[in-house]
Amino acid sequence: MTVLVASERPEAVAELLAVARTLSRGRLVALAPGAGDLVARGADHVLVGPLEALAEAVAQERPDLVLVGATVLGNEGAARLAQRLGVGCASHCLALDGDLEVERRVYGGRFLSREVLLGRPRVATVALRRVEPMPADPGRTGEVRDLGVAEQPVVAVQPRPRSAVDVSRAPVVVAAGRGVRRREDLALLERLASALGGELAGTRPVTDDLGWLPPDRRVGLSGRTVRPRLYVACGVSGQVEHVVGMRDAGTVVAINPDPRAPIHAEADYSLVADLYEAVPRLLALLEGRRTG
Amino acid sequence: MNLAVCVKFTRDVAQIRNTPEDAPLRINPLDETALEAAVRLGGRVTVVTVASQPPPRELVLRALAMGADEALLVLDPAPDALAVATALAPHLGGFDLVLCGEASVDAFNAQVGPRVADALGCPSVTAALALRPDGTALVVDQALEDVIRTVRVELPAVVTVCMEANVPRMPTVLQIMGAGRKPVREVRSDSPGGVEVRSLVAPPTSRRRREVEVEELLPLLGAEGLL
């Protein structure tokens, strides 16, 4: 099966090649903004071009399966392509297997849906930051060709606040929810994260509504999915939108003074307590463990 | 400007207990945001929806009460985004701008907007934060993952809006009363789908749910090798 993978982000293309390799032993073609090390990372053929070139790439390569990184632009490009081809598209796939069944979240994250695509080629967008790229093999050879398709011109680009770390790769995550009363109080949770060897993240109200943390630290359905060994939810109520982002954590600790808060049902250990009492106490105990 | 807003009536996911059918229908939250954006732009606003059965009248009235001038109901079994876009496109040809929510809260595909654009042969811009008319064009601020990008597209175009674009208005009693007088048309079609759902499962939760005191926590985490 020939698979075409595409994204406007080169690191996403490398990840998609790894996903494609689990599905097919056949030809892997990559559409990417630059060739980079994509041949070394598994591409038999690299087409250099923006996502605007997706239809052209499909026309030339005639893949059986098209995998696009599930970014805003990727989802748009895949949907347009699928309509052009008169086929279905499975968006934000968490898993793909066999020939070909996909798993994705529906109903606000409450359910997992397993779906198959009718028609050919099959088109899917794949949730990113879940799979490691294949190791670079400098001995691999492959063609590289520029498609000569221009990117859509833009009027302006303004960077959004970004973090130096990727919380989806942190071994420990401390999440701040609405229970945090002031922006300055995040420092307390930052100290807890540090003491535990992890990173601070937040729920949607904290990152987007209040803007106390950059959007790339948002854990949830439309944010990051994290898989740390330890997840400590502080002042988080446990809305489904958030919980879907941390369900795969190893051990979950919930700190919330409301015993009926939904987060307690998603926790291994529940502290029915106010974070303003519990977290300083935990920090003192952690300090005691270190020095004692 | 002649605007169309594509609206989906979805299950209210916040009220789902065991199955989606437990929950009442509502206007997809992001489509309310799209409708609000359309009303703020000014001009004539037509709400268009695809549904396998006529939606509850009070929901259609709510959309009209929020500021739409008329509604078009396309009755089509349309099981998925391919079918919905195929059912919508023939009715959207005369509009300057088509707005939708970025995605529906139930299927979470984020596909119908771009699909409709392709079917109409016009540009699409997704995840819009803000829209500003500029002559025969539209300037849109788009929320990408790392940047806010500003693009300019010639009309006609399809724009999907993200949650942060606005806070949709609550219709007033007068607006709700007036909605009953606005025209509602119904047409039928039958569009084939492109995806088959094999199963729908609620992911099992296997958490221990053990309530502990602060002093007990660290020894427990230590015993698991987490400290």
Side-chain angles (χ1 to χ4, degrees):
Chain A
M1 165 165 76
T2 296
V3 184
L4 171 69
V5 306
S7 180
E8 78 277 15
R9 300 170 160 246
E11 69 278 10
V13 179
E15 185 178 343
L16 293 169
L17 284 168
V19 174
R21 187 45 86 210
T22 68
L23 298 170
S24 169
R25 294 185 193 286
R27 183 172 154 79
L28 300 186
V29 182
L31 172 65
D37 65 350
L38 292 173
V39 171
R41 299 270 181 195
D44 299 305
H45 191 175
V46 177
L47 300 172
V48 176
L51 279 176
E52 284 82 341
L54 192 54
E56 179 61 30
V58 169
Q60 289 187 22
E61 295 292 328
R62 304 186 157 282
D64 302 288
L65 171 64
V66 181
L67 298 180
V68 182
T71 59
V72 168
L73 295 178
N75 289 322
E76 181 193 18
R80 291 194 71 123
L81 173 74
Q83 190 68 19
R84 173 77 51 96
L85 299 172
V87 298
C89 173
S91 306
H92 307 110
C93 296
L94 300 177
L96 303 93
D97 52 53
D99 179 45
L100 173 85
E101 204 171 82
V102 306
E103 186 175 88
R104 48 191 305 279
R105 293 190 189 111
V106 294
Y107 291 104
R110 270 188 161 71
F111 295 92
L112 288 173
S113 172
R114 288 197 69 89
E115 305 176 4
V116 294
L117 291 155
L118 314 170
R120 296 289 180 268
R122 287 170 291 215
V123 181
T125 76
V126 180
L128 295 169
R129 280 180 299 271
R130 295 176 68 84
V131 167
E132 290 300 318
M134 294 187 276
D137 173 3
R140 291 197 82 253
T141 56
E143 270 181 81
V144 175
R145 187 154 53 87
D146 194 315
L147 284 177
V149 172
E151 215 179 311
Q152 176 194 24
V154 302
V155 170
V157 167
Q158 186 196 319
R160 302 180 78 170
R162 284 188 68 179
S163 310
V165 291
D166 181 357
V167 296
S168 55
R169 297 205 142 97
V172 174
V173 173
V174 172
R178 270 224 149 89
V180 177
R181 292 193 284 268
R182 295 167 313 169
R183 183 185 214 135
E184 304 82 78
D185 300 337
L186 286 177
L188 179 66
L189 298 185
E190 179 75 69
R191 281 171 52 209
L192 181 62
S194 273
L196 293 171
E199 294 296 334
L200 181 63
T203 62
R204 180 172 213 125
V206 171
T207 60
D208 286 55
D209 297 345
L210 293 164
W212 289 351
L213 286 173
D216 60 6
R217 287 186 186 253
R218 179 172 81 236
V219 172
L221 182 63
S222 51
R224 297 293 162 104
T225 298
V226 297
R227 280 189 297 278
R229 297 192 307 260
L230 174 61
Y231 189 86
V232 185
C234 303
V236 170
S237 62
Q239 302 303 313
V240 175
E241 195 276 336
H242 171 72
V243 162
V244 296
M246 44 73 82
R247 270 218 178 95
D248 296 334
T251 297
V252 176
V253 174
I255 307 176
N256 188 307
D258 179 358
R260 284 172 325 230
I263 191 68
H264 291 302
E266 302 287 342
D268 295 292
Y269 302 115
S270 279
L271 297 179
V272 181
D274 190 317
L275 71 97
Y276 286 92
E277 288 166 21
V279 175
R281 185 84 193 103
L282 283 171
L283 281 166
L285 289 165
L286 278 164
E287 181 66 19
R289 279 177 80 95
R290 227 194 2 252
T291 57
Chain B
M1 241 204 301
N2 224 355
L3 299 116
V5 180
C6 301
V7 160
K8 184 178 186 182
F9 298 105
T10 63
R11 294 291 169 187
D12 187 349
V13 301
Q15 297 192 54
I16 293 178
R17 297 285 153 255
N18 296 312
T19 70
E21 289 72 34
D22 291 343
L25 290 173
R26 58 160 296 167
I27 299 175
N28 177 43
L30 277 166
D31 295 338
E32 288 193 337
T33 308
L35 185 46
E36 176 66 29
V39 171
R40 289 188 192 183
L41 282 171
R44 187 169 176 79
V45 177
T46 302
V47 161
V48 187
T49 191
V50 175
S52 53
Q53 302 168 54
R57 181 156 171 80
E58 67 268 16
L59 293 182
V60 178
L61 288 176
R62 185 184 169 84
L64 292 167
M66 284 177 66
D69 298 291
E70 64 179 290
L72 174 64
L73 310 181
V74 180
L75 297 177
D76 187 312
D80 55 45
L82 166 68
V84 168
T86 306
L88 282 169
H91 305 285
L92 296 174
F95 294 95
D96 300 302
L97 179 61
V98 176
L99 291 177
C100 344
E102 187 179 8
S104 64
V105 73
D106 52 4
F108 194 55
N109 279 308
Q111 290 180 33
V112 168
R115 281 182 177 274
V116 164
D118 192 86
L120 296 175
C122 71
S124 51
V125 183
T126 58
L129 279 168
L131 303 79
R132 295 178 290 283
D134 180 20
T136 56
L138 192 70
V139 176
V140 183
D141 294 335
Q142 188 182 29
L144 302 183
E145 287 76 10
D146 298 332
V147 300
I148 309 284
R149 189 171 91 151
T150 304
V151 295
R152 190 171 182 281
V153 287
E154 287 296 320
L155 299 178
V158 177
V159 174
T160 78
V161 301
C162 63
M163 194 176 300
E164 290 79 15
N166 62 53
V167 178
R169 67 193 60 196
M170 292 287 291
T172 65
V173 173
L174 262 163
Q175 286 169 320
I176 294 171
M177 284 166 54
R181 291 190 288 274
K182 295 178 180 177
V184 177
R185 282 194 303 132
E186 234 179 65
V187 296
R188 288 178 182 272
S189 60
D190 192 349
S191 310
V195 176
E196 186 186 295
V197 175
R198 287 281 166 86
S199 69
L200 202 66
V201 292
T205 180
S206 53
R207 297 292 174 191
R208 282 161 277 179
R209 301 187 184 182
R210 186 173 155 183
E211 196 182 317
V212 299
E213 299 299 318
V214 177
E215 287 70 27
E216 300 172 88
L217 181 65
L218 296 183
L220 287 166
L221 295 180
E224 288 186 35
L226 292 168
L227 296 178

